[in-house]
Amino acid sequence: MSAEKLKKTCFVVMGFGKKTDFQTGRTLDLDKTYRNIIKPAAEEAGLECFRADEILHSGMIDVPMYEQLMKADVVIADLSTANPSAIYQLGVRHALRPYTTIVIAEDQFFNLPFDVNTVAVLRYRHLGEDIGFAEVMRCRDELTDAIMGLLARVDSIPVPDSPVYMLLSGLKPPTFEAAEGGGKRAAAGTEASPIADSISSRLQQADDAQKQGDFETAKALLKYVRSTMKNDDPSIVQRLALVTYKSKRPTEQAALEEAREILTSLNPTTSNDTETLGLWGAVHKRLWDLTGDKKHLDEAVRGYERGFYVANDYYNGINLAYLLNVRADNSPRLADAVADFVDAERVRREVISICEQTLESNNTSPGERYWVLATMAEAHLGVGDEAGAEQKFQEASSVATAAWMRDSTQEQMAKLKVLLERSPLKAL
């Protein structure tokens, strides 16, 4: 048998893509946790590491998933954001295997299920959607040590890390042979393979195509990935909607309508997922710009408004404020126009406060720092503080990494100035 076949495996249980932690209202990019911390740590410990989205299959994903929960030498379960599938799969693993399961969670996630309160949890810290380099390296080293320690104990004096086997001392785990036999019968024709031609490689190809502006290729790859999944994964649907509307094919309006249809599967009118709501708002904002149909303007306002009150973030907030001014400018009733105009100013004052707190945390990357300062510049302009707007724009310009960033902000502020000059308050 080759060394490759003998290599031990690590199966990772967690959510995919960007997820909202409803305890804190923050959005966490779980893919970054996986790619920057978990996978490198497992590989450093000598394991082959993969998630469910990296298993290529032509049948039910449940079969290879349960096989890996049984067979994997190590299972790492990230319970951040209280993902129900991750919690369920951790329970399955604890029932099947007494040893070599590691539970991790984001530092501010404390709503762990009561049943895992006795389990040691390795913590890491997100800086919003990103993770700082120092934190990545610290947690990666800690996780590598934990994996190697578990494997060493199993080979010497194994101590159960499953609460099931800790409490039920006479319990015997199912035999590996029985699990293999059942797995083979159930998995006939599934072609499960966590290595070759994986879903992960197609997602990486989609990333590369998107970065190069080849949205048509990215769209085709993401449509394929979506078609292989039993249930829609929100992060895949969100990415597919994004590249679809950016492709502008066959026409810009047709692409936006298609992206809108894709997003409806995520129930955007009732969703609390800020990524879904942001995309829903962006698609309808562009449809309003193209068609002038007020139903799209109203839907864009609803999307950004819901996203802002769920996440309390500056991105949704500044977009909501601008669209409220747009709607005020297009309202046939003075009372409605005044209400929207006043609401826009109130939202901008909240946005300024959020931006100030974000800058005080000193956790922003150079790129994000630009957009925080640029948002503050637009918000100050919107509340009538032109001197503050100019100061923040100059600060933003000093950290801009590309000329188009400044151009985009100046263009947006110019549009806002026109709307402010047509204030409905002047009619009172």
Side-chain angles (χ1 to χ4, degrees):
M1 188 176 290
S2 70
E4 183 65 32
K5 290 183 179 178
L6 288 170
K7 196 170 188 180
K8 291 186 176 182
T9 59
C10 174
F11 183 56
V12 180
V13 169
M14 67 187 307
F16 309 146
K18 295 179 180 179
K19 294 289 185 288
T20 299
D21 176 7
F22 294 108
Q23 283 184 268
T24 63
R26 296 178 306 149
T27 297
L28 306 183
D29 191 336
L30 297 180
D31 284 349
K32 289 185 177 178
T33 305
Y34 176 63
R35 293 171 185 162
N36 296 343
I37 294 177
I38 300 175
K39 193 176 182 77
E43 291 176 344
E44 180 67 23
L47 304 180
E48 179 185 351
C49 183
F50 50 92
R51 292 191 306 190
D53 61 325
E54 295 176 317
I55 300 177
L56 187 66
H57 61 94
S58 58
M60 291 177 63
I61 182 58
D62 307 62
V63 175
M65 178 195 72
Y66 285 127
E67 284 183 341
Q68 295 305 327
L69 289 172
M70 172 66 192
K71 293 180 182 180
D73 296 283
V74 173
V75 164
I76 297 174
D78 186 347
L79 302 187
S80 303
T81 73
N83 183 283
S85 295
I87 294 170
Y88 174 79
Q89 290 168 35
L90 172 62
V92 172
R93 171 68 174 189
H94 276 161
L96 291 174
R97 295 286 292 270
Y99 316 116
T100 61
T101 302
I102 296 174
V103 179
I104 70 173
E106 204 276 333
D107 189 58
Q108 295 184 45
F109 177 68
F110 296 105
N111 193 25
L112 290 167
F114 174 80
D115 306 274
V116 290
N117 280 342
T118 58
V119 177
V121 179
L122 189 152
R123 296 285 184 171
Y124 65 92
R125 176 169 295 182
H126 264 270
L127 307 177
E129 295 182 15
D130 207 349
I131 309 174
F133 177 75
E135 177 65 1
V136 165
M137 299 310 295
R138 181 201 67 79
C139 191
R140 188 187 295 179
D141 290 343
E142 187 175 343
L143 185 54
T144 299
D145 290 343
I147 294 169
M148 296 180 74
L150 277 184
L151 294 174
R153 286 195 296 274
V154 167
D155 291 337
S156 55
I157 306 174
V159 178
D161 49 52
S162 161
V164 179
Y165 290 88
M166 289 178 193
L167 299 172
L168 303 179
S169 57
L171 186 64
K172 301 288 185 183
T175 62
F176 195 75
E177 291 75 20
E180 279 195 322
K184 286 176 181 176
R185 286 192 296 273
T190 60
E191 301 175 6
S193 169
I195 309 168
D197 198 22
S198 67
I199 296 300
S200 180
S201 69
R202 295 182 188 259
L203 290 174
Q204 186 58 56
Q205 292 169 26
D207 281 344
D208 294 341
Q210 185 175 338
K211 288 173 183 175
Q212 294 166 12
D214 186 357
F215 299 113
E216 284 286 281
T217 297
K219 177 183 173 183
L221 287 162
L222 290 168
K223 285 182 74 173
Y224 169 78
V225 170
R226 187 187 186 192
S227 72
T228 66
M229 295 184 167
K230 178 185 174 184
N231 298 310
D232 266 338
D233 178 77
S235 66
I236 302 299
V237 177
Q238 290 160 355
R239 290 176 61 186
L240 177 58
L242 176 66
V243 298
T244 296
Y245 87 67
K246 283 186 173 291
S247 73
K248 300 183 179 181
R249 300 286 181 86
T251 65
E252 185 174 0
Q253 184 174 341
L256 287 164
E257 293 286 2
E258 184 180 357
R260 179 187 183 281
E261 187 62 29
I262 291 168
L263 287 169
T264 55
S265 68
L266 300 179
N267 302 311
T269 56
T270 57
S271 174
N272 287 327
D273 187 305
T274 54
E275 186 74 12
T276 297
L277 293 168
L279 284 165
W280 188 251
V283 166
H284 282 280
K285 178 177 181 291
R286 286 163 175 77
L287 282 169
W288 154 256
D289 290 338
L290 285 175
T291 67
D293 188 335
K294 195 168 181 294
K295 70 179 182 183
H296 291 306
L297 177 57
D298 289 338
E299 202 61 44
V301 168
R302 276 193 288 269
Y304 284 124
E305 185 174 44
R306 191 174 178 87
F308 178 56
Y309 290 117
V310 167
N312 199 37
D313 66 318
Y314 64 84
Y315 169 79
N316 280 297
I318 202 66
N319 278 287
L320 169 61
Y322 175 74
L323 288 177
L324 285 171
N325 283 127
V326 172
R327 193 165 70 177
D329 193 54
N330 287 273
S331 178
R333 295 181 69 244
L334 179 60
D336 290 338
V338 169
D340 278 342
F341 197 90
V342 171
D343 278 347
E345 181 171 329
R346 177 182 54 78
V347 169
R348 286 193 179 94
R349 293 192 184 281
E350 291 185 43
V351 166
I352 291 171
S353 177
I354 292 167
C355 289
E356 287 172 345
Q357 292 172 33
T358 302
L359 292 174
E360 286 172 4
S361 70
N362 293 318
N363 290 329
T364 55
S365 63
E368 184 185 3
R369 187 173 181 82
Y370 172 82
W371 291 114
V372 174
L373 290 166
T375 297
M376 292 183 77
E378 182 181 340
H380 277 285
L381 178 64
V383 299
D385 180 9
E386 292 194 16
E390 179 61 26
Q391 178 187 340
K392 292 303 176 185
F393 178 71
Q394 292 304 323
E395 289 181 37
S397 297
S398 69
V399 296
T401 56
W404 68 265
M405 298 167 75
R406 292 188 294 271
D407 294 342
S408 175
T409 300
Q410 286 180 312
E411 181 182 350
Q412 178 65 17
M413 291 174 70
K415 291 179 182 178
L416 178 58
K417 282 183 179 179
V418 173
L419 294 172
L420 295 174
E421 288 169 0
R422 298 203 291 254
S423 168
L425 300 181
K426 293 178 179 179
L428 296 179

